[in-house]
Amino acid sequence: QSVLTQPPSVSGAPGQRVTISCTGSSSNIGAGYDVHWYQQLPGTAPKLLIYGNNNRPSGVPDRFSGSNSGTSASLAITGLRAEDEADYYCQSYDSSLSAVVFGGGTKLTVL
Amino acid sequence: EVQLVESGGGLVQPGRSLRLSCAASGFIFDDYVIYWVRQAPGKGLEWVSSISWNSVGIAYADSVKGRFTISRDNAKNSLYLQMNSLRVEDTAFYYCAKGIVPTIAPQNWIDSWGQGTLVTVSS
């Protein structure tokens, strides 16, 4: 059971917008710790997608955006493309555990 | 270009030990905190351990505390994970990953990952 809760799967058609939620608690997201997002394409290592809640590393398209509010964060992907099909993970820090924590991951299927 | 290359994985019996290594290149190794993150086959990511640039700051997940030891050799641009008393549930791909600052800090994130090495614990 992950400290950060993500939906196991989401799906959308090409061109559509999808969001992936990441629900935490008062000891992680709710405490003000930043949320970061990673994309893991099939058979590959994770890759940084969003850092510091809503910042994109160089090379990440602006179709990807992050936000957070209260004890939750969200990743939004607009203009869905087939190559976006991957697993997505949120990550933060938990002060009660004194640990880096990941969400359980969300599999995005592009229909 | 940042490169992180893990090695040392393999098949090991429960209760035995294994030592993983990670060779880093393409950046100033001793300027950054480095992590081990694992992923059981078909499962999600799990943070294992972190080590600061000077090895003073070290942290472990509760699931490995007392069994695993992280270390680094800045002269060799290398990271290590000594895994003792291995359990079946330690079976996973182990990723070496680079942080963005020298010290362990709550707001850190990972900006580069290795390709991982598979550790299988089975009798």
Side-chain angles (χ1 to χ4, degrees):
Chain A
Q1 195 78 337
S2 301
V3 172
L4 303 179
T5 301
Q6 298 181 232
S9 63
V10 297
S11 62
Q16 284 190 331
R17 177 182 187 268
V18 296
T19 62
I20 297 173
S21 61
C22 173
T23 302
S25 67
S26 59
S27 59
N28 42 69
I29 300 174
Y33 294 111
D34 287 348
V35 178
H36 321 292
W37 292 89
Y38 303 91
Q39 177 193 58
Q40 187 174 32
L41 297 170
T44 70
K47 166 194 158 187
L48 179 65
L49 194 65
I50 296 286
Y51 66 91
N53 301 317
N54 57 9
N55 300 287
R56 288 185 309 278
S58 172
V60 173
D62 60 6
R63 300 186 297 105
F64 295 89
S65 63
S67 64
N68 63 347
S69 177
T71 58
S72 294
S74 289
L75 172 71
I77 310 172
T78 59
L80 263 183
R81 305 177 67 160
E83 58 260 38
D84 297 334
E85 195 160 278
D87 294 324
Y88 293 84
Y89 294 91
C90 59
Q91 178 245 307
S92 187
Y93 178 84
D94 190 283
S95 57
S96 294
L97 300 172
S98 297
V100 173
V101 290
F102 286 94
T106 298
K107 181 176 182 58
L108 169 62
T109 300
V110 181
L111 303 170
Chain B
E1 178 195 2
V2 172
Q3 282 205 316
L4 298 162
V5 180
E6 304 90 339
S7 60
L11 175 63
V12 61
Q13 292 179 326
R16 303 298 291 266
S17 299
L18 204 60
R19 189 193 196 209
L20 304 183
S21 299
C22 171
S25 62
F27 64 101
I28 302 174
F29 185 68
D30 53 6
D31 272 358
Y32 299 97
V33 64
I34 307 291
Y35 303 85
W36 286 105
V37 176
R38 69 184 180 184
Q39 184 173 35
K43 302 297 183 183
L45 301 172
E46 179 189 14
W47 167 73
V48 173
S49 183
S50 309
I51 186 167
S52 66
W53 71 279
N54 58 0
S55 303
V56 170
I58 287 177
Y60 297 99
D62 286 345
S63 58
V64 306
K65 202 172 292 182
R67 300 188 298 122
F68 289 11
T69 302
I70 191 172
S71 62
R72 64 191 293 166
D73 184 337
N74 289 342
K76 295 182 177 179
N77 287 354
S78 293
L79 175 76
Y80 306 100
L81 187 67
Q82 177 66 41
M83 304 186 294
N84 298 332
S85 303
L86 281 161
R87 304 168 180 169
V88 170
E89 54 265 35
D90 294 320
T91 295
F93 287 93
Y94 284 74
Y95 294 101
C96 169
K98 171 186 166 291
I100 53 92
V101 292
T103 55
I104 296 174
Q107 304 289 36
N108 273 347
W109 61 90
I110 291 169
D111 69 355
S112 299
W113 299 70
Q115 286 306 301
T117 186
L118 178 61
V119 173
T120 303
V121 184
S122 174
S123 52

